[in-house]
Amino acid sequence: MLKKKLEALGYPTPSDLALSNRKDFASTILWLEDQKIRLYAIEDREILRNVDNAQMWEDGYLKYCADLNMPSLGTQNEQLAWILGHAIRLEFLDDPAQYESINSKQTLPKINGSQPHQQKVQVIFEGKMNVDDKEFIAGVRTLAGQLNVPHHPNHLLQLEAVARVVHERLSPAARGRQPITGTPFPFDKGNDVVSANDPALDLPMRILRLLQIQSLRQLQTHINETIVSVQNLTANPKTDTKLGKVGF
Amino acid sequence: MVVRSYNDELGYLEKINDHCWKIKKGFQPNMNVEGCFYVNSRLERLMLEELKNSCRPGAVGGFLPGVKQIANVAALPGIVGRSIGLPDIHSGYGFAIGNMAAFDMDNPLSIVSPGGVGFDINCGVRLLRTNLFEKDVQPVKEQLAQSLFDHIPVGVGSKGIIPMNARDLEEALEMGMDWSLREGYVWAEDKEHCEEYGRMLNADPAKVSMRAKKRGLPQLGTLGAGNHYAEIQVVDEIYDKWSASKMGIEEKGQVVVMIHSGSRGFGHQVATDALVQMEKAMKRDKIETNDRQLACARINSVEGQDYLKAMAAAANFAWVNRSSMTFLTRQAFAKMFNTTPDDLDMHVIYDVSHNIAKVENHIVDGKERKLLVHRKGSTRAFPPHHPLIPVDYQLTGQPVLVGGTMGTCSYVLTGTEQGMQETFGSTCHGAGRALSRAKSRRNLDYKEVLDKLEQIGIAIRVASPKLVMEEAPESYKDVTDVVDTCHAAGISKKCIKMRPIAVIKG
């Protein structure tokens, strides 16, 4: 995914990015600030330019993160993902008209799809709380941090993810539930092919499909439970061996 | 009918790859599309020999060779894609058994043909798993076979032991497995793991003749004769560990029960009635076919619609039938092992139909189209993530149950994406005859056949032993050849192999 984002930004060597190497990471950050983000004036970027002096660069980087208003993220990977996302957002906002044709055709359904989500949360808090209040946002971020829910730019979506984690894992019903037994099915071992040569596409597709299968399974289980409760009223199986010739 | 020498005939056949042959237009008159068939080298020899024999001067009578039948089907109005022969193909009434063909629902000239479904409408296979292992069953094998034989009515003219009156039958024809569910003969999960969820919604019992209902009523819940059987099998080989585990099959030696049955005399009567109606319709609508046996009617004509509704009722009959036998099997096992079917984990793995016509959506030439898919001696094999397969099999693909010949092995395959593209999501259904019934009766002795089974340690109970040689392994193609061809051609994937330890037969 990082590679896809780097490609989108026109990074010269998107596939050679070695994340284990802090120096490479530093040059990537510098490139992003120089070419795309431009948060600082050119002369203020000096603090990020000391790629060879690790200590000085780390100090500069910490300040840079704070100035970018980056939420506190654990790993270097997450930080890079966030900065890349930020850069792409800026790039897009520079000239939204340029992307209009893609927007209207391909991402419009997505925008439509996310609206009910936003509304869902908003409706709950309607008239009781301002969901765009700074304190509210900070509260959501803290809660998410404690539950290890990944960062999302839209705090309402993140709140929904938090709600889901609470519902699935922490609610009294979930705590009382029997743990699922049986051999787990490794999800890359199915017979389905998504895109074998593109892991960046393959993995998220599989995860989305698994989520779809999970909700289908829940639906099917509800159907079965309903059938069983109806059976309690209607079922009366009987056999009468006098009726037929059995086993000549 | 064109008369050509064998060598001239070969000019119309072309081997595209190791497992597939093309039948070019012109092989039979008026072909609208090309034909094709899937074979390996051994099955190929059988196929071509059959054609060769029919080219000999003076060869008359009997069915046309399979290749010719595929080509005649390709000449039917409204056919799309190709007329496809699966590896287990053998001559049948009109359509060869093991032939699938799809017709465009949006073409007003497209037809539906009872010959493309077969006389045993919704003949199919159901597989039940258990949590027993071979070592649990071997010592009581004979008693268990006897117990099954005592529970499931078998043989020509056998009668069901589940009380049914005419009203029950009407309801069962309309509701299919939902009737069995309502009456409590099956579990909710059984419906989930059944093709079409065990019910064709367009069934209309009013379109079924009195005669068919009279034949059907006493036969509901009976196994029947012919190639139908109930087998206790043992998992012999697992090729695809993860898919098998999704089906609840964890290890070699696990015991499963396979039930192969259909709609008995009921379906036969529905098909016979329809053929009479269709001959009239053909004259009226001036439909011409290469073979009189390919009687058909336009899908949108009264006769076509009536047949589809009656066929759906017969399909429902078959599902109720297999469900009733599932109930009886569970009872037999529960009594034998002094426990409940639940504790024996006797869930239905899947239930397939291999004689049926269904409306399905497929991509043809890059466009989605609504087709009437005829599968005669051919099993649906949908790929992973297809919306019409149960949620439990979304990752593996639809299970395909391939029953072998009495005394040989059976297989479970899974559907593939390639099969969806090449064969409208269809694959083989069984071994496929090599010798005709009459020929097997002449050449084989029933005592020898039974002795042989006993020697390899299979407990057998037969209602009409004198018909057993029709079903002897020698009368059939090798099911392993058939399944290997499907696997190698990529139209389905091998998952599990089972071998029988006890057989109940009509």
Side-chain angles (χ1 to χ4, degrees), chain A residues 47-99:
Chain A
I47 53 164
L48 288 175
R49 240 175 257 292
N50 298 317
V51 174
D52 291 317
N53 186 336
Q55 190 51 50
M56 270 177 77
W57 186 85
E58 294 293 345
D59 290 345
Y61 177 62
L62 273 181
K63 180 176 182 303
Y64 182 61
C65 287
D67 290 342
L68 274 176
N69 278 330
M70 179 161 83
S72 56
L73 294 166
T75 67
Q76 171 182 287
N77 241 353
E78 281 176 312
Q79 292 169 2
L80 182 60
W82 189 90
I83 294 174
L84 281 171
H86 184 66
I88 288 173
R89 208 156 39 243
L90 293 176
E91 192 80 342
F92 169 74
L93 289 174
D94 276 352
D95 187 9
Q98 195 192 332
Y99 303 99

Side-chain angles (χ1 to χ4, degrees), chain B residues 200-488:
Chain B
M200 295 277 263
L201 291 169
N202 61 336
D204 185 355
K207 303 294 180 196
V208 176
S209 69
M210 247 355 257
R211 201 161 165 207
K213 287 176 191 167
K214 274 204 178 126
R215 274 179 84 175
L217 182 56
Q219 292 180 335
L220 203 55
T222 65
L223 186 67
N227 58 351
H228 296 148
Y229 58 79
E231 267 185 0
I232 303 173
Q233 303 174 336
V234 167
V235 174
D236 198 35
E237 195 85 54
I238 297 177
Y239 306 99
D240 181 348
K241 185 179 159 213
W242 296 113
S243 298
S245 79
K246 274 271 161 201
M247 301 175 197
I249 301 295
E250 303 289 351
E251 268 176 79
K252 282 191 209 177
Q254 199 170 335
V255 171
V256 295
V257 183
M258 183 176 269
I259 298 169
H260 177 204
S261 182
S263 50
R264 309 280 284 110
F266 183 87
H268 197 283
Q269 192 61 47
V270 166
T272 314
D273 294 342
L275 286 172
V276 177
Q277 294 301 316
M278 294 210 170
E279 273 187 31
K280 287 182 207 151
M282 282 175 79
K283 258 189 217 134
R284 185 194 58 211
D285 296 336
K286 301 192 177 56
I287 305 173
E288 302 221 336
T289 58
N290 291 340
D291 182 352
R292 241 193 101 229
Q293 291 182 350
L294 287 171
C296 55
R298 293 194 178 137
I299 298 175
N300 295 321
S301 68
V302 179
E303 292 81 5
Q305 284 299 314
D306 282 358
Y307 171 66
L308 283 175
K309 287 170 187 164
M311 182 208 73
N316 287 345
F317 182 98
W319 277 313
V320 174
N321 199 21
R322 286 200 285 275
S323 297
S324 300
M325 281 184 281
T326 305
F327 173 74
L328 298 167
T329 306
R330 284 177 179 153
Q331 298 246 307
F333 267 73
K335 275 183 206 165
M336 187 78 227
F337 293 98
N338 238 334
T339 168
T340 64
D342 283 284
D343 287 335
L344 289 170
D345 193 34
M346 293 187 74
H347 278 283
V348 170
I349 290 181
Y350 204 60
D351 177 305
V352 296
S353 323
H354 51 228
N355 277 7
I356 205 154
K358 282 201 273 199
V359 179
E360 288 170 7
N361 287 11
H362 286 271
I363 307 285
V364 184
D365 303 327
K367 259 191 254 149
E368 185 174 334
R369 278 159 80 179
K370 201 162 121 190
L371 307 176
L372 183 67
V373 181
H374 289 63
R375 291 196 184 90
K376 182 189 197 179
S378 160
T379 316
R380 193 184 78 176
F382 277 168
H385 300 300
H386 193 285
L388 292 181
I389 65 175
V391 50
D392 292 344
Y393 301 128
Q394 287 284 315
L395 290 175
T396 62
Q398 180 209 312
V400 176
L401 312 175
V402 180
T405 325
M406 180 175 70
T408 62
C409 47
S410 299
Y411 288 87
V412 179
L413 316 177
T414 51
T416 63
E417 199 54 59
Q418 195 185 347
M420 198 62 186
Q421 285 156 14
E422 278 186 31
T423 60
F424 298 99
S426 314
T427 191
C428 64
H429 86 299
R433 276 196 169 276
L435 293 181
S436 75
R437 287 178 186 277
K439 217 172 182 180
S440 332
R441 275 202 300 272
R442 280 198 304 274
N443 295 357
L444 302 164
D445 179 56
Y446 77 89
K447 284 202 187 97
E448 266 175 48
V449 175
L450 291 179
D451 284 347
K452 221 183 209 171
L453 287 174
E454 219 168 65
Q455 272 168 25
I456 47 176
I458 299 175
I460 179 156
R461 295 289 181 283
V462 205
S464 28
K466 296 207 168 143
L467 296 176
V468 142
M469 53 279 195
E470 289 182 3
E471 303 304 324
E474 290 85 347
S475 314
Y476 281 89
K477 293 173 185 169
D478 184 353
V479 67
T480 304
D481 267 339
V482 169
V483 163
D484 284 347
T485 307
C486 289
H487 181 81

Side-chain angles (χ1 to χ4, degrees), chain A residues 1-7 17 19 77 80-82 84:
Chain A
M1 207 59 211
L2 290 179
K3 194 181 131 202
K4 284 262 183 289
K5 284 183 179 167
L6 284 168
E7 267 170 14
L17 186 71
L19 276 169
N77 241 353
L80 182 60
W82 189 90
L84 281 171

Side-chain angles (χ1 to χ4, degrees), chain A residues 191-192 217 231 234 240 246, chain B residues 150 161 182 192 385 493:
Chain A
N191 289 331
D192 51 335
R217 183 63 257 173
Q231 271 186 324
T234 62
D240 183 355
V246 185
Chain B
D150 291 343
I161 57 167
R182 190 187 72 186
E192 186 192 332
H385 300 300
K493 187 177 170 209

